[in-house]
Amino acid sequence: MEIIRVKDAQEGGKKAFELVKEEVEKDAKVFGLATGSTPETFYKELINSSLDFSDKISINLDEYIGLSGTDDQSYRYFMNEHLFNKKPFKESYVPNGKAEDLEAECRHYDQIISENPIDVQILGIGQNGHIGFNEPGTPFDTSTHVVKLTESTINANKRNFENVNDVPTHALSMGIGSIMKAKKIILLAYGKAKAEAIKGMVEGEITPDLPASVLQNHPDVVVIVDEEAASLC
Ligand code: F6R
């Protein structure tokens, strides 16, 4: 794991952009993407750059169950607003949270991932160490699956909803097994609330209790952290 310390999210976004640009120049074609507040500065850098993604593919990590892509709380909507409307890709995949048959949607998403092996995966991290919506206890070999969100995740995400009861309780998430197959992983984390998870991920035991710790087993992970997120390392 390579750790890059930055001043703040602005500098982190710039650093992540530089790394992604290098990969594009090496012909990376498929990008695994995350939502949440963490990658926003990185997406701004992408939008303001001249990099062309119109022949590239993006595959998002997750989506809330029950929300359609036009719902402004959905992750599809977030991605359209923060990236795709201004920097279009050839194809942009996000799990379908309104699928009638969720198991079939999971297998369909796995098929998409296996046909488009991910060159660069962008990750944030939850306060409880989740990656994607793979909550503590998720086996390391999972593929796309239905997740019951933990109270910690629902509380962390309620800031985006009017009422905590509006936060969906379930999501579809790419599995840890699929994330680990990405050739390169860039994980971003900012702020004190992430410090415990970052310490556990970098220095702790590799355990499903802290899903991000599995990244210690990956050959090419870059972690971009600000001072606060790195404060316990
Ligand atoms: C989002 C995702 C999550 C977030 C994590 C951190 O697609 O996969 O794992 O990366 O919950 O969220 P923020 O960035 O909002 O702190």
Side-chain angles (χ1 to χ4, degrees):
M1 243 183 227
E2 183 193 351
I3 316 283
I4 300 179
R5 289 172 187 249
V6 293
K7 193 166 70 163
D8 54 22
Q10 267 59 41
E11 198 183 316
K14 284 193 174 40
K15 191 71 222 172
F17 171 74
E18 280 166 29
L19 296 176
V20 165
K21 186 163 175 272
E22 277 170 27
E23 296 305 311
V24 169
E25 284 159 2
K26 286 191 247 160
D27 216 21
K29 293 234 171 328
V30 183
F31 296 82
L33 299 179
T35 57
S37 50
T38 308
E40 285 185 23
T41 54
F42 164 62
Y43 293 150
K44 282 200 182 115
E45 293 292 327
L46 281 188
I47 288 168
N48 293 332
S49 77
S50 57
L51 277 192
D52 179 21
F53 286 85
S54 62
D55 62 342
K56 316 270 187 250
I57 289 173
S58 69
I59 306 183
N60 259 81
L61 284 166
D62 40 22
E63 179 60 284
Y64 287 121
I65 290 176
L67 300 191
S68 77
T70 52
D71 189 313
D72 61 6
Q73 306 292 359
S74 73
Y75 283 176
R76 162 64 79 177
Y77 189 93
F78 174 99
M79 290 307 299
N80 288 344
E81 287 289 300
H82 287 85
L83 186 62
F84 302 146
N85 289 345
K86 290 163 197 138
K87 185 66 83 176
F89 285 61
K90 184 169 98 185
E91 279 310 334
S92 284
Y93 297 104
V94 179
N96 176 7
K98 286 290 260 187
E100 267 178 34
D101 183 341
L102 292 169
E103 266 316 305
E105 174 61 14
C106 291
R107 301 298 66 82
H108 170 64
Y109 213 64
D110 286 340
Q111 184 70 27
I112 291 168
I113 299 166
S114 75
E115 284 168 8
N116 300 283
I118 295 173
D119 292 303
V120 184
Q121 175 67 55
I122 303 296
L123 292 178
I125 183 170
Q127 293 174 29
N128 61 7
H130 72 222
I131 46 176
F133 268 142
N134 295 287
E135 298 282 25
T138 309
F140 286 160
D141 60 357
T142 43
S143 54
T144 308
H145 59 293
V146 173
V147 180
K148 181 170 170 23
L149 300 178
T150 61
E151 218 177 303
S152 142
T153 299
I154 290 175
N155 277 324
N157 290 1
K158 72 179 177 201
R159 65 185 190 275
N160 302 317
F161 292 80
E162 268 181 32
N163 187 306
V164 66
N165 296 324
D166 296 338
V167 187
T169 53
H170 290 75
L172 289 168
S173 180
M174 192 189 285
I176 295 177
S178 313
I179 292 172
M180 288 295 281
K181 285 193 193 131
K183 283 191 210 122
K184 184 179 191 78
I185 295 178
I186 301 173
L187 184 142
L188 310 168
Y190 312 122
K192 224 182 178 52
K194 303 292 172 73
E196 283 281 354
I198 290 296
K199 180 181 167 63
M201 175 185 83
V202 174
E203 302 172 358
E205 185 197 344
I206 301 175
T207 163
D209 293 341
L210 196 125
S213 65
V214 72
L215 300 177
Q216 291 177 35
N217 289 334
H218 191 283
D220 188 358
V221 178
V222 180
V223 180
I224 299 178
V225 269
D226 70 358
E227 290 303 330
E228 286 188 346
S231 59
L232 298 177
C233 294

